[in-house]
């Protein structure tokens, strides 16, 4: 190498002067300081006496490299040498480690020379860099034999990563092993590395998969009895004539086992499968193998040497050792065998096969099932015997009479009431609307005793005794008494802390969540508190912190004082953040997204959060975040972020035909990483013979330098309505940002502009005849909203509350005619009671209110007012923006939008005999429903809905609310509750519809 080229950056100067750039003199590498007549500079192998503090002051820093290294900002971000600070051994070692970890540098050295032009002395630090070679592309060429995507998963060397000889070579071995497992006899993989430029490399794997072994026969070795080999072959992944794959044999063994178990050969035993080469016949050249349809064939030993020509078409015989064994026969007395199977009470007849433990489990399941039906004294006896070629299992079931559990009593519990302990028992006396109650099941009763015992232990009763339960009979009625001896109680007295630095962690802040002071004592409670403190210290960067407790008991061992001590140890903090593997994404964007900066505490939990944050960008197919040491004796760690970018741009398209719309077409474009800034651009165009739709979405994970997401959308829709009554055109734009407020709150702000136009309206059709969503409007809206959600589950809540407040400010902009303010508030609350966890009743309540205030008048012509007369306040608000009520999610005694006040929010147009809803500017609605379980995933509700819609929010009058009541059913599906409700109007007006209102819907009404 002729020497270092002239890339140099002089950073700072005296007192942190502005960053400047200068050209360093060429002519070779910088001389060591000693040659220049100064003391030797610190290097990785030469350290001053006190590396943490000593060293000459750095006046400027120069970066020198053979070839330009870009972006330079990434290198500057990992330097620990700073202008104005000593050039210490620690700073040198940190810098060298950081540069090495960055992947951009293959080798680095640090020199110094005197800062002769500085009157205060000091040195100029010279960082000499030898750039690493980055892999520009990894290609697979040749006869691959299988899909390229399958082979790429075996390649260790990644694109955009530094070239690693070890990774390249490991890829060769992994590819060969993978191909061998896929049945290729002698796969060959060669690798070639070329350097198009001094800093980039292309890795090419030349693959010659060679001849692929095929399956000539599938044989079964051992006694098959009446089982036919062809029946066993039906379930196998391995097929005659298909390529041989050794990785499918274990799966095939399981398939054979399941097949035999389904055919009641659950005692079958299978050996290790094997593949034997087929030796071609010297005379005919055909494989000398047994007929693949033979029942059971003992394989010949044969020669494993392949004659000439065998390598061109290698074949193997796949042999499965099988001992079918006797067929299982189940004989049942006192019950129906088929019913037992349908209920899943005979698991030994399933795909897992026979096992003595499964038979015992079956006996217990049968007993539980009969006791759930009320047969408390059911007797289940079983026996097993080998009878010729059958293995017989006898089940003798005597159900006995049906009993009803009338009373469950706890005796001896003085500290806790029966209601306090109710949640820990499953056995319950007969109750109305509680399906499954009133049955005594021994297994549940035994578990209840264990649960109560565990609860008492956790509440500080170490000597508590629970049970054995006493069951009493009176005719066909049962009663259960569970005796409890509480014994002494151990409680926690004072709790003191020592060794905690309040600046790192204030244990007083955690005192309430720890639940120690004054509470019950149990080692598990104390261990949980200590674990919580260790976790909090770990989050603060003290990953090696030790926390222990010293216990001091009073004489009668009823109270213990705790002294919790901490030894924090060194604090591990982030030094530099190093990003590797990004080819298109800007490194600064990644660092900004991380939310992590030098000096922050380093912990495993924080790194997992960083990984999740990066994955949420949806532009990386692989993210690995780890800590590496900056120096052996240092408490700082570099954060190394390894990335693999996914395919950012995708194109989707499709064509079809519909009898109503004619031809259909779809064209979509998606760029998940626009300009390397992690912006997502999505667009789709849908066309048909009667309509067209275009939509454009632009997602930003941050706004400027703020980590606030921003979503902007533009849409255009044009189409012909049904029966060609009119043409509808919609277009507009919306932008919205959201932000978390604390742990449970969320604030969003949106700006919306939309236009709805009607054209070619059919003769005789008025605007009032159209759905309100199709009425013409032109609006510009500002939407701030706030949600505070403390419910325990967003889909199936059973406790907690939520608060929602939304404001819509519609103002004149770009021809928009709406000018009003709309406020909507909803409060929900849920109260669980009257049952055990998972089976309790839930009282759900909701109150909704809304008000709209017009700030200006709508034009008297050319604007759809929805049939509102001039004397109503709602006249100056578009009908699509007013409040409506009635239907499955508001007032279930009325049909969709049918709730209102005649003459205000309900009108009778000329020529109509019924009232038509036109909405209003005032809304008040209250809902109460009692939700209760029935059986399995089926539940029921009883509800009362009350409220109304007024033309003006000032005229809301509680005497005008309409009330309805009803019942409903809920089926809890994996994606939420499916429901049907039946509602009736109370005190029905003459103009209102008679009868029951039936509504179907998905999800909870509020």
């Amino acid at each position: 190498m002729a020497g270092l080229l002239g890339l140099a950056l002089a950073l700072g100067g005296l007192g942190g002067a502005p960053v400047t750039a200068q050209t360093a003199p060429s002519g070779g590498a910088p001389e060591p300081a000693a040659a220049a007549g100064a003391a030797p500079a610190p290097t990785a192998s030469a350290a001053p006496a006190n590396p943490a503090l000593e060293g000459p002051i750095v006046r400027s820093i120069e970066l020198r490299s053979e070839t330009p290294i870009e972006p330079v900002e990434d290198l500057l971000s990992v330097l620990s040498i700073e202008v104005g600070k000593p050039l210490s051994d620690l700073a040198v070692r940190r810098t060298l480690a950081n540069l090495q970890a960055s992947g951009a540098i293959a080798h680095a050295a640090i020199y110094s020379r005197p800062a002769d032009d500085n009157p205060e002395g000091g040195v100029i630090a010279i960082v000499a860099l030898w750039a690493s070679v980055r892999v520009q592309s990894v290609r697979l060429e040749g006869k691959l034999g299988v899909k390229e995507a399958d082979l790429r998963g075996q390649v260790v060397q990644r694109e955009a990563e530094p070239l690693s000889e070890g990774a390249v070579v490991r890829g060769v071995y992994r590819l060969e092993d993978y191909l061998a497992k896929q049945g290729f006899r002698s796969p060959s993989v060669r690798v070639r590395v070329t350097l198009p430029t001094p800093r980039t490399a292309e890795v090419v794997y030349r693959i010659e998969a060679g001849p692929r072994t095929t399956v000539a026969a599938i044989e079964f070795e051992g006694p098959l009895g009446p089982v036919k080999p062809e029946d066993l072959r039906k379930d196998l992944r391995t097929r005659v004539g298909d390529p041989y794959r050794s990785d499918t044999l274990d799966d095939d063994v399981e398939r054979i086992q399941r097949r035999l178990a389904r055919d009641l050969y659950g005692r079958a035993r299978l050996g290790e499968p094997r593949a034997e080469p087929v030796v071609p016949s010297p005379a005919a050249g055909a494989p000398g193998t047994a007929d693949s349809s033979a029942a059971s064939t003992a394989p010949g030993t044969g020669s494993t040497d392949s004659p000439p020509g065998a390598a061109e078409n290698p074949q193997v015989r796949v042999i499965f050792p099988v001992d079918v064994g006797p067929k299982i026969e189940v004989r049942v007395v006192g019950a129906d065998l088929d019913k037992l199977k349908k209920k899943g009470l005979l698991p030994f007849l399933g795909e897992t096969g026979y096992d003595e433990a499964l038979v015992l489990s079956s006996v217990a399941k049968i007993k539980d099932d009969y006791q759930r039906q009320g047969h408390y004294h059911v007797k289940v006896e079983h026996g097993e015997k080998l009878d010729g070629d059958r293995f017989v299992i006898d089940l003798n079931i005597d159900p006995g009479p049906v009993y009803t559990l009338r009373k469950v009593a706890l005796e001896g519990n003085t500290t806790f009431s029966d209601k306090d302990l109710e949640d820990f028992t499953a056995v319950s006396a007969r109750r109305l609307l509680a399906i499954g109650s009133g049955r005594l099941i021994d297994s549940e009763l035994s578990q209840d005793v264990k649960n109560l015992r565990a609860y008492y232990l956790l509440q500080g009763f170490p000597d508590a005794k629970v049970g054995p339960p006493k069951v009493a009979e009176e005719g066909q009625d049962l009663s259960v008494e569970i005796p409890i001896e509480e014994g002494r109680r151990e409680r926690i007295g004072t709790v003191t802390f020592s060794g905690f630095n309040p600046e790192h962690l204030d244990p007083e802040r955690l005192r309430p969540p720890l639940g120690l002071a004054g509470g019950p004592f149990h080692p598990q409670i104390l261990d949980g508190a200590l674990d919580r403190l260790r976790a909090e210290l770990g989050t603060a960067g003290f990953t090696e912190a030790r926390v222990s407790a010293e216990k001091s008991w009073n004489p009668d061992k009823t109270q213990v004082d705790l002294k919790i001590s901490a030894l924090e140890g060194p604090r591990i903090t982030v030094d530099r953040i190093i990003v590797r593997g990004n080819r298109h994404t800007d490194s600064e964007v990644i660092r900004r997204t991380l939310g992590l900066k030098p000096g922050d505490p380093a912990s495993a939990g924080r790194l997992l959060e960083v990984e999740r944050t990066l994955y949420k960008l949806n532009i990386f197919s692989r993210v690995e975040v780890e800590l590496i040491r900056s120096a052996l004796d240092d408490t700082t760690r570099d954060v190394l972020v390894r990335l693999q970018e996914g395919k950012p741009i995708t194109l989707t398209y499709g064509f079809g035909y519909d009898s109503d719309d004619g031809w259909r077409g779809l064209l979509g474009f998606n760029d998940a990483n626009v300009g390397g800034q992690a912006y997502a651009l999505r667009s789709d165009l849908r066309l048909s013979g009667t309509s067209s739709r275009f939509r454009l979405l632009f997602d930003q994970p941050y706004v400027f330098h703020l980590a606030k997401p921003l979503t902007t959308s533009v849409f255009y829709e044009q189409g012909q309505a049904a029966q060609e009554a009119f043409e509808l055109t919609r277009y507009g734009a919306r932008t919205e940002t959201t932000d978390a407020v604390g742990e449970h709150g969320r604030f969003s702000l949106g700006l919306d502009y939309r236009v709805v136009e009607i054209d070619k309206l059919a003769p005789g059709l008025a605007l009032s005849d159209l759905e309100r969503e199709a009425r013409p409007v032109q609006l510009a809206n500002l939407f701030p909203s706030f949600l505070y959600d403390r419910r325990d589950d967003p889909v199936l809540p059973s406790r907690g509350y939520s608060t929602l407040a939304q404001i819509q400010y519609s103002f004149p902009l770009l021809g928009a005619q709406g000018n009003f303010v709309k406020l909507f508030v909803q409060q929900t609350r849920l109260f669980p009671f009257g049952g055990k966890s998972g089976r309790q009743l839930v009282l759900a309540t909701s109150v909704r209110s809304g008000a709209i205030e017009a700030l200006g008048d709508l034009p008297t012509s050319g604007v759809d007012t929805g049939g509102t007369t001039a004397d109503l306040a709602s006249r100056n608000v578009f009908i699509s923006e007013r409040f409506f009520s009635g239907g499955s999610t508001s007032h279930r005694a009325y049909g969709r939008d049918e709730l209102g006040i005649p003459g205000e929010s309900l009108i009778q147009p000329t020529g109509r005999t019924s009232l038509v809803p036109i909405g209003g500017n005032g809304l008040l609605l209250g809902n109460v429903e009692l939700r209760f379980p029935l059986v399995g995933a089926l539940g029921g509700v009883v509800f009362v809905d009350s409220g109304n819609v007024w033309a003006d929010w000032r005229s809301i009058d509680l005497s005008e609310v309409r009330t309805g009541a009803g019942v409903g059913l809920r089926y809890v599906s994996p994606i939420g509750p499916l429901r049907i409700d039946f509602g009736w109007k109370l005190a029905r007006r003459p103009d209102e519809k008679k009868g029951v209102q039936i509504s179907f819907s998905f999800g909870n009404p509020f």
Side-chain angles (χ1 to χ4, degrees):
M1 298 181 185
L4 298 177
L5 296 181
L7 171 65
L9 293 179
L11 303 182
L14 291 175
V19 175
T20 61
Q22 67 182 32
T23 303
S26 59
E31 295 293 333
T43 65
S45 59
N50 190 341
L53 302 175
E54 297 181 7
I57 301 300
V58 177
R59 300 305 176 186
S60 65
I61 302 172
E62 296 180 2
L63 296 182
R64 298 191 177 188
S65 174
E66 305 175 287
T67 57
I69 301 178
E70 296 179 357
V72 176
E73 293 76 10
D74 289 351
L75 293 178
L76 296 179
S77 67
V78 302
L79 298 182
S80 292
I81 299 172
E82 299 183 39
V83 173
K85 294 187 177 181
L87 185 65
S88 65
D89 180 60
L90 181 59
V92 169
R93 283 188 285 131
R94 281 185 181 178
T95 299
L96 293 175
N98 294 350
L99 289 170
Q100 184 70 29
S102 71
I105 304 302
H107 178 65
I110 299 178
Y111 303 87
S112 69
R113 59 181 172 84
D116 295 331
D117 57 347
N118 194 309
E120 297 186 8
V123 297
I124 298 174
I126 303 171
V127 183
L129 307 172
W130 286 264
S132 65
V133 178
R134 283 184 179 254
V135 176
Q136 184 176 1
S137 64
V138 177
R139 301 201 309 272
L140 305 179
E141 298 180 350
K143 298 180 179 179
L144 305 184
V146 296
K147 294 180 180 179
E148 181 178 343
D150 296 335
L151 292 176
R152 280 201 171 271
Q154 308 303 315
V155 176
V156 181
Q157 177 65 65
R158 304 288 183 181
E159 295 178 349
E161 289 277 356
L163 179 65
S164 168
E165 180 182 356
V168 172
V169 174
R170 285 200 303 275
V172 172
Y173 293 126
R174 287 168 61 98
L175 287 168
E176 289 182 343
D177 290 345
Y178 180 79
L179 289 170
K181 289 181 179 179
Q182 301 306 306
F184 294 94
R185 185 150 188 166
S186 301
S188 173
V189 180
R190 299 291 182 264
V191 64
R192 183 179 74 254
V193 179
T194 58
L195 302 176
T197 69
R199 291 194 57 212
T200 60
E202 292 182 349
V203 179
V204 180
Y205 289 96
R206 183 70 186 179
I207 300 173
E208 294 296 332
R212 192 170 192 178
T213 304
T214 58
V215 178
I218 299 175
E219 303 174 8
F220 299 94
E221 180 182 73
L224 295 184
V227 177
K228 297 179 180 179
E230 54 267 25
D231 292 338
L232 297 180
R233 294 192 188 97
K234 292 178 181 178
D235 294 334
L236 301 182
R237 292 178 60 189
T238 303
R239 302 282 182 179
V240 173
D242 286 354
Y244 167 73
R245 292 181 54 184
S246 61
D247 56 354
T248 65
L249 295 185
D250 290 339
D251 180 52
D252 282 338
V253 170
E254 294 181 3
R255 288 168 176 261
I256 295 173
Q257 190 83 53
R258 291 196 296 268
R259 156 67 75 168
L260 291 173
R262 289 196 301 267
D263 293 341
L264 300 181
Y265 293 98
R267 290 170 60 88
R269 298 293 179 263
L270 279 75
E272 188 75 20
R274 64 183 187 273
E276 295 185 353
V278 172
V279 181
S281 171
T289 179
D291 182 3
S292 62
S293 63
S296 175
T297 306
T301 54
S303 172
T304 59
D305 297 331
S306 301
E312 298 178 0
N313 188 26
Q315 293 182 315
V316 294
R317 300 156 54 212
V318 178
I319 303 171
F320 294 95
V322 180
D323 181 3
V324 170
K327 190 171 187 176
I328 296 176
E329 179 182 338
V330 180
R331 298 187 302 204
V332 179
V333 177
D336 185 87
L337 177 62
D338 291 336
K339 288 185 178 180
L340 296 179
K341 289 180 180 179
K342 289 180 180 179
K343 289 185 176 182
L345 302 179
L346 304 176
F348 56 87
L349 295 182
E351 293 185 348
T352 54
Y354 168 83
D355 186 271
E356 185 176 355
L358 288 178
V359 176
L360 296 177
S361 173
S362 179
V363 171
K365 286 176 179 289
I366 294 172
K367 183 178 179 181
D368 280 1
D369 182 71
Y370 272 88
Q371 288 186 339
R372 291 182 193 280
Q373 301 173 48
H375 301 278
Y376 177 67
H377 288 305
V378 60
K379 296 180 181 179
V380 183
E381 299 177 349
H382 81 285
E384 303 173 1
K385 64 181 178 180
L386 186 62
D387 186 4
D389 59 350
R390 297 177 304 161
F391 184 78
V392 181
I393 300 176
D394 289 311
L395 292 175
N396 194 340
I397 302 173
D398 181 10
V402 175
Y403 292 86
T404 301
L405 181 60
R406 298 295 182 183
K407 181 181 179 182
V408 177
L410 303 177
E411 297 294 334
N413 51 310
T414 58
T415 306
F416 306 107
S417 67
D418 290 0
K419 186 173 181 59
D420 294 332
L421 300 177
E422 189 179 47
D423 282 344
F424 305 98
T425 58
V427 172
S428 60
R430 182 66 176 171
R431 297 198 312 269
L432 185 65
L433 296 180
I435 297 177
S437 63
R439 301 306 185 196
L440 182 56
I441 305 166
D442 283 337
S443 61
E444 288 187 356
L445 183 60
S446 176
Q447 187 60 47
D448 288 349
V449 171
K450 294 178 182 178
N451 292 343
L452 290 170
R453 166 66 174 157
Y455 177 73
Y456 267 94
L457 289 176
L458 288 175
Q459 294 302 313
F461 294 88
D463 303 324
K465 297 180 180 179
V466 181
K470 302 174 183 178
V471 179
E473 299 181 28
E474 185 176 345
Q476 303 301 114
D477 294 338
L478 299 175
S479 62
V480 175
E481 177 184 312
I482 303 178
I484 299 175
E485 295 181 17
E486 294 181 342
R488 65 182 174 89
R489 189 176 194 183
E490 298 176 347
R491 303 187 71 94
I492 298 174
T494 60
V495 180
T496 57
F497 299 93
S498 66
F500 291 90
N501 186 338
E503 295 182 358
H504 303 153
L505 175 64
D506 184 5
E508 296 298 329
R509 174 179 63 84
L510 295 176
R511 188 184 290 270
L514 292 177
L516 294 178
F521 174 79
H522 186 273
Q524 183 175 332
I525 297 176
L526 178 58
D527 291 343
L530 298 181
D531 289 341
R532 172 74 181 270
L533 291 170
R534 294 187 192 102
E536 292 285 342
L537 286 171
T539 302
F542 299 94
T543 56
E544 300 177 1
R546 298 183 180 180
V547 182
S548 59
E550 179 181 339
K551 299 185 286 289
S552 299
W553 290 92
N554 64 354
D556 57 357
K557 294 204 71 176
T558 58
Q559 180 171 304
V560 59
D561 296 331
L562 300 176
K563 180 181 179 181
I564 299 179
S565 305
L567 183 62
E568 292 182 341
R571 189 178 196 181
I572 308 301
T573 58
V574 175
D575 182 16
R576 296 293 187 271
I577 300 172
I578 301 166
V579 180
R580 287 170 51 172
N582 53 312
R583 301 178 61 188
H584 305 291
T585 310
D586 190 341
S587 298
E588 181 58 30
V589 171
I590 298 173
R591 291 191 179 93
R592 185 188 307 157
T593 305
L594 295 179
L596 196 65
K597 60 183 183 300
D600 285 352
S603 65
R606 188 70 182 90
L607 297 187
L608 289 175
E609 183 179 342
V610 167
E611 285 190 2
R612 288 194 296 267
T613 301
L614 289 175
Y615 272 122
K616 286 180 181 179
L617 293 178
N618 294 320
I619 59 178
F620 300 112
S621 59
R622 182 176 64 96
V623 177
E624 295 177 1
V625 182
E626 61 178 308
L627 293 176
I628 58 175
R629 287 183 178 271
S630 298
L632 293 176
D633 55 350
D634 196 8
T635 58
T636 62
R637 301 288 187 272
D638 288 338
V639 175
L640 179 59
V641 182
R642 290 194 179 96
L643 305 168
Q644 183 175 348
E645 294 175 331
K647 187 178 180 181
I649 298 178
T650 56
L651 184 68
T652 58
Y653 56 89
F655 301 95
Y657 182 83
D658 184 88
S659 58
D660 294 329
D661 298 331
W663 60 270
R664 289 172 174 266
L666 166 67
L667 179 63
F669 173 82
N670 182 20
D671 187 348
N673 194 7
V674 179
Q677 300 297 309
Y679 300 150
L681 178 66
R682 291 172 290 168
S683 65
D684 63 80
L685 175 64
R686 298 173 184 266
L687 300 173
S688 71
T690 59
S691 64
S692 61
R693 189 185 78 174
F694 173 75
R695 184 180 59 172
L696 181 69
L697 295 175
F698 188 63
D699 290 326
Q700 299 171 250
Y702 53 87
V703 180
F704 301 108
H705 290 279
L706 301 176
K708 310 299 180 186
L710 183 67
T711 300
T712 303
S713 62
V714 178
F715 69 93
Y716 177 86
E717 300 177 9
Q718 188 275 330
Q720 201 170 56
Q723 290 84 40
E724 302 182 357
F726 61 92
E727 285 189 356
L728 177 66
T729 302
R730 290 190 180 100
Y731 58 89
R734 181 182 177 91
T735 183
E736 184 178 16
T737 183
T738 60
D739 191 19
V741 181
E743 185 179 355
H744 303 282
R746 187 185 68 190
F747 174 79
S748 66
L749 180 63
L751 180 63
D752 171 80
Y753 178 81
R754 66 182 186 272
V755 177
V756 179
E757 297 177 347
I758 296 294
D759 193 16
K760 299 181 181 179
L761 192 65
L765 187 65
L767 290 177
S768 59
D769 296 325
L770 307 182
E771 291 287 336
R772 66 174 187 268
E773 291 81 4
R775 308 284 183 92
V777 297
Q778 189 169 357
L779 288 169
N781 302 302
L782 186 67
F783 286 100
S785 67
F786 175 74
L787 173 65
Y788 189 75
D789 194 348
R790 292 300 302 268
R791 296 174 299 172
D792 59 343
D793 190 293
V795 179
L796 293 172
S798 60
R799 65 180 69 241
Y801 63 92
S802 68
T803 301
L804 173 65
Q806 294 177 331
I807 299 175
Q808 176 184 348
Y809 171 47
S810 184
F811 54 94
L813 176 70
L814 300 177
Q817 298 165 317
N819 191 6
F820 60 86
V821 175
K822 180 179 182 180
L823 172 65
F824 176 78
V825 178
Q826 179 175 7
Q827 179 71 44
T828 66
R829 184 90 191 197
L830 299 105
F831 306 90
F833 67 95
K836 304 171 181 62
S837 178
R839 298 190 304 177
Q840 76 272 22
L841 283 71
V842 176
L843 181 67
T845 63
S846 169
V847 176
R848 284 171 270 191
S849 62
I852 306 176
E853 181 67 22
L855 304 179
D857 295 338
L858 288 177
T860 56
S861 63
V863 173
D864 172 38
T865 60
T868 310
T869 58
D871 59 344
L872 293 179
S874 56
R875 183 241 177 268
N876 291 311
V877 178
F878 288 110
I879 186 173
S880 60
E881 306 305 307
R882 300 171 195 162
F883 293 115
F884 288 82
S885 185
S888 62
T889 59
S890 55
H891 201 305
R892 287 162 283 185
Y894 291 81
R896 182 175 181 266
D897 300 342
E898 290 180 355
L899 181 64
I901 298 175
E904 292 191 26
S905 50
L906 296 173
I907 65 171
Q908 184 173 345
T910 303
R912 298 286 293 269
T913 59
S914 60
L915 294 175
V916 175
I918 60 171
N921 288 3
L923 171 71
L924 184 62
L925 185 65
N927 309 89
V928 178
E929 72 175 26
L930 180 65
R931 303 170 184 171
F932 50 88
L934 291 176
V935 57
L938 188 65
V941 299
V942 177
F943 63 83
V944 175
D945 298 335
S946 185
N948 217 328
V949 179
W950 288 263
D952 189 349
W953 61 270
R954 297 175 185 83
S955 61
I956 292 178
D957 186 349
L958 294 181
S959 65
E960 294 181 309
V961 300
R962 309 300 299 158
T963 303
V967 296
L969 294 175
R970 304 287 185 269
Y971 175 75
V972 182
S973 71
I975 56 175
L978 302 174
R979 58 190 179 91
I980 178 174
D981 291 313
F982 305 87
W984 292 267
K985 302 176 183 67
L986 303 181
R988 183 182 64 83
R989 292 196 312 254
D991 60 277
E992 294 177 334
K993 294 180 180 179
K994 298 180 180 180
V996 60
Q997 180 66 41
I998 304 175
S999 58
F1000 299 87
S1001 187
F1002 173 78
N1004 288 309
F1006 50 85

